[in-house]
Amino acid sequence: MTTIDEVAQLAGVSPATVSKVLNNRPYVSAEKRALIERVIAETGFVPSQRARGLSKRRSYIFGMLIPYTSNQLFADPHLLECIRGIEDVANTHDYNMLLSTARAPAEAASACVRLLRSDVIDGAIVLETIDLQPFTEVLQQHDAPMVAIGYAQGTALHAIHADDYGGALSAMHYLLSLGHRRIGIVSSVLRPFALEERLRGVRVALEARGLCLNEQLIALGDFSSISGEAAGRALLAQPEPPTAIFALNDRMAIGVMRAARELNISIPEQLSVIGFDDIPTASMATPPLTTVRQPGFALGDTAANVLFALLDGSMPPPAAVIPTELIVRGTTAPPLH
Amino acid sequence: MTTIDEVAQLAGVSPATVSKVLNNRPYVSAEKRALIERVIAETGFVPSQRARGLSKRRSYIFGMLIPYTSNQLFADPHLLECIRGIEDVANTHDYNMLLSTARAPAEAASACVRLLRSDVIDGAIVLETIDLQPFTEVLQQHDAPMVAIGYAQGTALHAIHADDYGGALSAMHYLLSLGHRRIGIVSSVLRPFALEERLRGVRVALEARGLCLNEQLIALGDFSSISGEAAGRALLAQPEPPTAIFALNDRMAIGVMRAARELNISIPEQLSVIGFDDIPTASMATPPLTTVRQPGFALGDTAANVLFALLDGSMPPPAAVIPTELIVRGTTAPPLH
DNA sequence: ATGCTATAGGAAACCGCTTTACTATCCACG
DNA sequence: CGTGGATAGTAAAGCGGTTTCCTATAGCAT
């Protein structure tokens, strides 16, 4: 392993000068700089992050905390996009990402504290599906750079989330404008705040037309397509079935489509379906699913950018909302008659 | 941030003594040890991994390299189990896991070299879906601890994989012993070596009965359930359809079941289906899927253990094969007639 | 010529912990 | 009673970079 001293010796300069070149700082003549750079290239020298971190008081690593319970959630292509966005930004900042999956909710915060105190990470991105409450304390003791992906109300964490409310609102507006009045909703038993916001969008859209959310037309799933299928079946088995179903995520929407097909209900003629997320399979379903796009990449991207802003000491806005977009495809049409 | 010197001062000893306590090493009297431990507890001191790593020449972090292309693969619950197994072992060794997703195949190896040279990681676990060839070079230059999850032939990497061959063999034996003779296979266009091995198991089982693999009875998918559905439909649409279908992963098997249901072919009466992996949804399907269990957790667990063996300098076996197990559930029965 | 500032470069301290000497006791044993 | 070996503890030298401070020279105006 080459060290900075070896490079210095080979170039006939002091390590201090090599350091200046490495951090491209002034007060090095063009010739020496070139010489040193050549030696570095020849030896393939790469500075040790350990040593560098010790002086700079940085580890150049941030933590990504995901709840292990997010088994299905992790499987969500949306999260993958998110991670891609985060990694993209991390790479441009020469940072690496430590993955920490917390089993129990309480564990997450203490694991995070441990990682911070032991200088393993400089900051963290937390998925809101982890209970964020314990993190408030962490922040107070540590004022470490931390951002949450999700709504993190009452936690002093910087929160980044998609415009769930607006997305649901526009999905419902669209269905209503097509003429639908009996609209089924596939929600979930477990209700992260994002879902709460989507439901709020649903309610507000209905109220704007003088309608209200009919409890009978709500079915519950667990985000999986299988649960969506069951929910769809339940809704469609009602004496007066809905003419449209808004599933609060794509996988459940795809389940609903499956249920409809098995009941010989044609989409979109007899039933309109809208999902939420715009996962890759949404556009590949038959017919392709109308849905609300949640830009995962952008979410990850801005979350990471906020994190780095915090690391650099600049004060980013306390919360960022990433816009969503209604993608109209083939599963929506005006109701019959 | 408390340092070891502060602790030493508070306890009235030298930092060297505190270090002995931290690494629980001998030559410290019981009283001093107790005293120091109390001070540590009171101050909440946690040693800095940066500094510790610098002297110990370790970072206590290993890399987990996954190809980003494994979009779907990453979504595979199986991989999740694997990661859980890895993390479990990592935790007991006080190691952390750095996640690095490589976009291009070639990128992976160079990213890995960078991480190793810059002392960010001490070793790595690589998914075999990454092209492992470039890693051989890395190993030669670096002899870093590295293990591959998968078959890594010709790469000098330590390989850990499930007994794909044996699993496929027993699945086929079972179908054949039930009396099936026309057995459809759902394979994949993309053929990682694991799939090759499963196919070999299929062939050998058939040959043992004097049969051979009929090309007509092979359909190709891409591991997703949607592709499995298409493949199932194709197989069942044949003039002389198979009486059993062995899908080389569970998600495609579930697709096959969906195809059968839509064609009003009852399972297991008119068609037997076997999958591979035993993902959680397999047991929740209706009827529950007969499949070959691939113990993801054990895979991750032993991969990590081999890695740590390498780190400690002990020589582990060059390759480890994790046994698979046929789980008979409700989708298999003797053929009709 | 004299001062003053900007540029180049290096010596050495430092980051926080580990480890290698090295010293000082204490105990047993011939 | 001297000697040797274990035990307890510490000072100081790393680990591999960065950074502060200091010196030397050059360029420029006075």
Side-chain angles (χ1 to χ4, degrees):
Chain A
M1 206 69 294
T2 351
T3 69
I4 201 176
D5 291 288
E6 288 172 34
V7 172
Q9 206 154 11
L10 285 173
V13 299
S14 79
T17 309
V18 178
S19 177
K20 282 181 191 164
V21 171
L22 285 175
N23 297 283
N24 45 51
R25 275 170 16 185
Y27 304 135
V28 179
S29 67
E31 307 103 76
K32 296 241 161 178
R33 193 177 290 271
L35 171 61
I36 292 171
E37 271 164 357
R38 200 169 61 242
V39 173
I40 289 177
E42 276 166 9
T43 55
F45 165 73
V46 180
S48 161
Q49 294 291 353
R50 284 204 266 275
R52 158 179 267 244
L54 191 55
S55 343
K56 291 238 194 186
R57 290 136 169 288
R58 286 240 183 158
S59 62
Y60 301 99
I61 295 174
F62 69 88
M64 171 87 198
L65 305 183
I66 69 174
Y68 177 69
T69 38
S70 73
N71 199 327
Q72 320 100 310
L73 214 149
F74 197 30
D76 209 320
H78 170 61
L79 180 56
L80 271 258
E81 272 302 295
C82 221
I83 288 185
R84 221 186 98 210
I86 292 172
E87 240 202 335
D88 235 54
V89 177
N91 284 346
T92 69
H93 287 252
D94 276 312
Y95 258 72
N96 286 107
M97 182 169 89
L98 196 88
L99 190 71
S100 177
T101 76
R103 213 65 62 86
E107 250 174 61
S110 70
C112 185
V113 172
R114 220 175 178 66
L115 289 172
L116 286 167
R117 289 189 88 98
S118 60
D119 292 342
V120 174
I121 60 175
D122 295 339
I125 295 181
V126 191
L127 284 199
E128 114 143 318
T129 20
I130 288 182
D131 178 20
L132 294 182
Q133 224 54 44
F135 280 91
T136 316
E137 241 179 288
V138 176
L139 264 185
Q140 280 166 354
Q141 292 173 15
H142 251 282
D143 87 325
M146 284 216 253
V147 327
I149 291 187
Y151 299 75
Q153 59 263 56
T155 51
L157 288 182
H158 291 257
I160 319 293
H161 57 81
D163 183 11
D164 294 282
Y165 166 73
L169 197 67
S170 61
M172 289 299 285
H173 274 329
Y174 179 60
L175 287 178
L176 290 164
S177 74
L178 284 175
H180 292 279
R181 286 302 173 268
R182 286 189 68 76
I183 302 177
I185 305 294
V186 180
S187 176
S188 147
V189 189
L190 194 78
R191 286 235 290 255
F193 202 77
L195 223 71
E196 224 59 79
E197 283 292 288
R198 294 180 194 177
L199 282 172
R200 187 164 68 87
V202 169
R203 267 190 223 98
V204 170
L206 287 170
E207 279 160 16
R209 299 268 177 157
L211 303 169
C212 71
L213 187 49
N214 183 346
E215 287 297 325
Q216 296 248 314
L217 289 177
I218 300 181
L220 303 179
D222 65 2
F223 297 113
S224 72
S225 64
I226 288 195
S227 74
E229 190 173 338
R233 218 185 291 272
L235 287 173
L236 295 170
Q238 298 192 1
E240 206 176 339
T243 61
I245 294 181
F246 179 22
L248 266 31
N249 84 338
D250 278 356
R251 289 187 293 155
M252 294 196 292
I254 284 171
V256 168
M257 289 174 69
R258 224 141 61 205
R261 197 179 320 146
E262 279 174 31
L263 294 169
N264 274 318
I265 295 173
S266 69
I267 294 175
E269 294 77 14
Q270 301 171 56
L271 178 72
S272 287
V273 177
I274 294 193
F276 205 112
D277 283 349
D278 195 24
I279 63 178
T281 41
S283 59
M284 287 162 48
T286 46
L289 181 67
T290 296
T291 188
V292 178
R293 169 174 303 159
Q294 183 175 202
F297 190 89
L299 256 175
D301 184 284
T302 54
N305 276 318
V306 170
L307 183 69
F308 286 115
L310 286 168
L311 275 167
D312 294 348
S314 49
M315 197 58 181
V321 178
I322 312 297
T324 50
E325 184 193 358
L326 178 67
I327 310 286
V328 177
R329 296 207 183 91
T331 55
T332 39
L336 281 179
H337 75 132
Chain B
M1 208 69 294
T2 350
T3 70
I4 202 176
D5 292 289
E6 288 172 33
V7 172
Q9 206 154 11
L10 285 173
V13 298
S14 78
T17 309
V18 178
S19 177
K20 283 183 191 163
V21 171
L22 285 176
N23 297 281
N24 45 54
R25 276 173 15 189
Y27 305 135
V28 179
S29 67
E31 306 103 75
K32 296 240 161 176
R33 194 178 288 271
L35 171 61
I36 291 170
E37 272 165 356
R38 200 171 57 242
V39 172
I40 288 176
E42 275 166 9
T43 55
F45 165 73
V46 180
S48 161
Q49 294 289 355
R50 283 203 268 275
R52 153 178 270 242
L54 191 54
S55 348
K56 292 239 195 186
R57 292 139 165 287
R58 287 241 182 158
S59 63
Y60 300 99
I61 295 175
F62 68 89
M64 171 89 198
L65 304 184
I66 69 175
Y68 178 66
T69 38
S70 74
N71 199 327
Q72 320 99 307
L73 214 149
F74 196 32
D76 209 320
H78 170 61
L79 180 55
L80 270 260
E81 272 302 295
C82 221
I83 288 185
R84 220 187 98 208
I86 292 172
E87 240 203 334
D88 235 52
V89 178
N91 284 345
T92 69
H93 286 252
D94 276 312
Y95 258 72
N96 285 107
M97 182 170 91
L98 196 87
L99 190 71
S100 177
T101 76
R103 212 66 63 86
E107 250 174 63
S110 69
C112 186
V113 173
R114 216 170 183 68
L115 290 172
L116 285 167
R117 289 188 87 96
S118 60
D119 292 343
V120 174
I121 60 174
D122 296 337
I125 295 181
V126 192
L127 282 200
E128 116 144 314
T129 19
I130 286 181
D131 178 21
L132 294 182
Q133 223 55 45
F135 280 91
T136 316
E137 242 180 289
V138 176
L139 264 185
Q140 280 166 354
Q141 292 173 17
H142 251 284
D143 88 325
M146 283 216 253
V147 326
I149 291 188
Y151 300 75
Q153 60 263 55
T155 50
L157 287 183
H158 290 258
I160 318 293
H161 57 80
D163 183 12
D164 294 282
Y165 166 72
L169 199 66
S170 62
M172 289 299 287
H173 274 329
Y174 180 61
L175 286 178
L176 289 164
S177 74
L178 283 176
H180 292 278
R181 286 301 173 269
R182 288 190 67 76
I183 302 178
I185 305 294
V186 180
S187 176
S188 146
V189 189
L190 195 78
R191 285 233 292 254
F193 201 77
L195 223 71
E196 224 59 80
E197 282 293 287
R198 294 180 195 175
L199 282 172
R200 187 164 69 86
V202 169
R203 267 190 224 98
V204 170
L206 286 171
E207 280 158 16
R209 300 266 176 157
L211 303 169
C212 72
L213 187 49
N214 183 345
E215 288 296 327
Q216 297 248 314
L217 288 176
I218 300 181
L220 303 177
D222 64 1
F223 297 113
S224 72
S225 63
I226 287 193
S227 75
E229 190 173 339
R233 218 185 293 272
L235 287 173
L236 296 170
Q238 298 192 1
E240 206 176 340
T243 61
I245 294 181
F246 179 22
L248 265 31
N249 84 338
D250 278 355
R251 290 187 293 156
M252 294 196 293
I254 284 172
V256 168
M257 290 176 68
R258 226 141 61 205
R261 199 180 317 148
E262 279 173 30
L263 294 168
N264 273 318
I265 295 173
S266 69
I267 294 175
E269 293 78 13
Q270 301 172 57
L271 179 72
S272 287
V273 178
I274 295 193
F276 206 113
D277 283 351
D278 195 25
I279 62 177
T281 42
S283 59
M284 287 160 48
T286 47
L289 182 67
T290 295
T291 188
V292 179
R293 171 174 303 160
Q294 181 174 202
F297 189 89
L299 257 175
D301 184 284
T302 56
N305 276 318
V306 170
L307 183 70
F308 285 115
L310 287 168
L311 275 167
D312 293 350
S314 48
M315 197 59 178
V321 178
I322 312 298
T324 50
E325 185 192 358
L326 178 67
I327 310 285
V328 177
R329 296 208 183 91
T331 56
T332 39
L336 279 180
H337 79 139

